[in-house]
Amino acid sequence: EVQLVESGGGLVQPGGSLRLSCAASGFTFSSYSMNWVRQAPGKGLEWVSYISSSSFTISYTDSVKGRFTISRDNAKKSLDLQMNSLRDEDTAVYYCARVFFSGAPLYFDYWGQGILVTVSS
Amino acid sequence: SYVLTQPPSLSVAPGKTAIIACGGNNIGGKSVHWYQQRPGQAPVLVIYSDTDRPSGIPERFSGSNSGNTATLTISRVEAGDEADYYCQVWNSRSDPSCVFGPGTQVTVL
């Protein structure tokens, strides 16, 4: 059974940092591209970042470029998101999501349960 | 950047058909995927690659995509279909950028 379990969320002050992790199990982690998707309270889904299976290709949504860093450790089957210079508008539930890839990333077939990040003074 | 549009809300009576539109410039040239999200839960894939249904998703869910509009159709709507629905595409192969629609809240009367 595929499982994605996020950890590392919590309350942080504006300008602070937080590191999210996603532990994967039930599939060959090193064969899949992974993503972070977030959802602000009462709002829609927003894609945050993508990392290919080998970490060769990485991309971010414009609002987090230069502040967030996605990484992965295929040996440990883990995905991370280092979030620096956090802003109020980064408050959201953050989901780790596996993406099915066929020549290009396509759809998110498995999602974690989500972890809440609250940026507030 | 690529923008997707969806109606904010849709109300439908049980047993009737709900049709949710997702608009985008030449979206027919892209592969569109749909997610259902119930309150407090993670999204669930209900349609992928325009028309395909993952295992476990009822046949009542179907999709189409042409021109500037993709649609998710829910036939014989049930109370359990009440949820938010999001369309999603990828905007670039070389520098992957994913776009979600703003979501449609489906209410079963």
Side-chain angles (χ1 to χ4, degrees):
Chain A
E1 179 193 5
V2 172
Q3 284 197 321
L4 299 170
V5 179
E6 301 94 341
S7 61
L11 175 64
V12 61
Q13 291 188 338
S17 298
L18 210 57
R19 188 177 185 90
L20 303 183
S21 293
C22 172
S25 61
F27 66 102
T28 305
F29 182 72
S30 59
S31 296
Y32 286 87
S33 299
M34 299 295 295
N35 295 260
W36 289 98
V37 176
R38 68 184 178 183
Q39 186 169 36
K43 303 298 184 183
L45 300 173
E46 180 187 25
W47 170 78
V48 174
S49 183
Y50 164 94
I51 185 168
S52 62
S53 58
S54 64
S55 303
F56 181 78
T57 301
I58 287 175
S59 57
Y60 302 93
T61 192
D62 286 346
S63 63
V64 309
K65 284 180 181 176
R67 301 189 300 122
F68 289 13
T69 302
I70 192 172
S71 62
R72 64 189 297 162
D73 185 329
N74 285 343
K76 295 182 178 179
K77 301 182 182 180
S78 69
L79 173 73
D80 288 344
L81 185 69
Q82 176 65 43
M83 304 185 294
N84 298 331
S85 302
L86 283 161
R87 306 167 179 168
D88 290 351
E89 55 265 34
D90 295 319
T91 294
V93 172
Y94 285 74
Y95 294 99
C96 165
R98 189 180 88 168
V99 66
F100 180 84
F101 189 101
S102 179
L106 290 178
Y107 49 89
F108 302 106
D109 55 357
Y110 287 94
W111 298 67
Q113 83 286 356
I115 191 88
L116 178 63
V117 171
T118 303
V119 184
S120 175
S121 54
Chain B
S1 62
Y2 195 76
V3 176
L4 296 174
T5 60
Q6 292 182 242
S9 61
L10 178 66
S11 296
V12 58
K16 300 300 184 182
T17 298
I19 300 175
I20 304 169
C22 175
N25 185 33
N26 193 29
I27 196 173
K30 297 182 179 294
S31 189
V32 180
H33 320 290
W34 292 89
Y35 303 87
Q36 175 193 69
Q37 187 181 34
R38 296 188 175 102
Q41 296 186 18
V44 172
L45 180 70
V46 293
I47 291 290
Y48 66 94
S49 301
D50 298 339
T51 60
D52 295 337
R53 226 177 18 256
S55 61
I57 300 301
E59 291 183 7
R60 301 184 296 103
F61 288 82
S62 62
S64 65
N65 184 19
S66 179
N68 293 318
T69 305
T71 60
L72 172 68
T73 301
I74 311 173
S75 305
R76 303 180 299 283
V77 166
E78 302 175 356
D81 299 332
E82 188 162 287
D84 294 327
Y85 292 83
Y86 297 90
C87 55
Q88 173 253 315
V89 300
W90 286 89
N91 196 27
S92 169
R93 284 176 174 259
S94 58
D95 182 20
S97 174
C98 174
V99 180
F100 285 98
T104 298
Q105 184 177 60
V106 171
T107 300
V108 181
L109 300 171

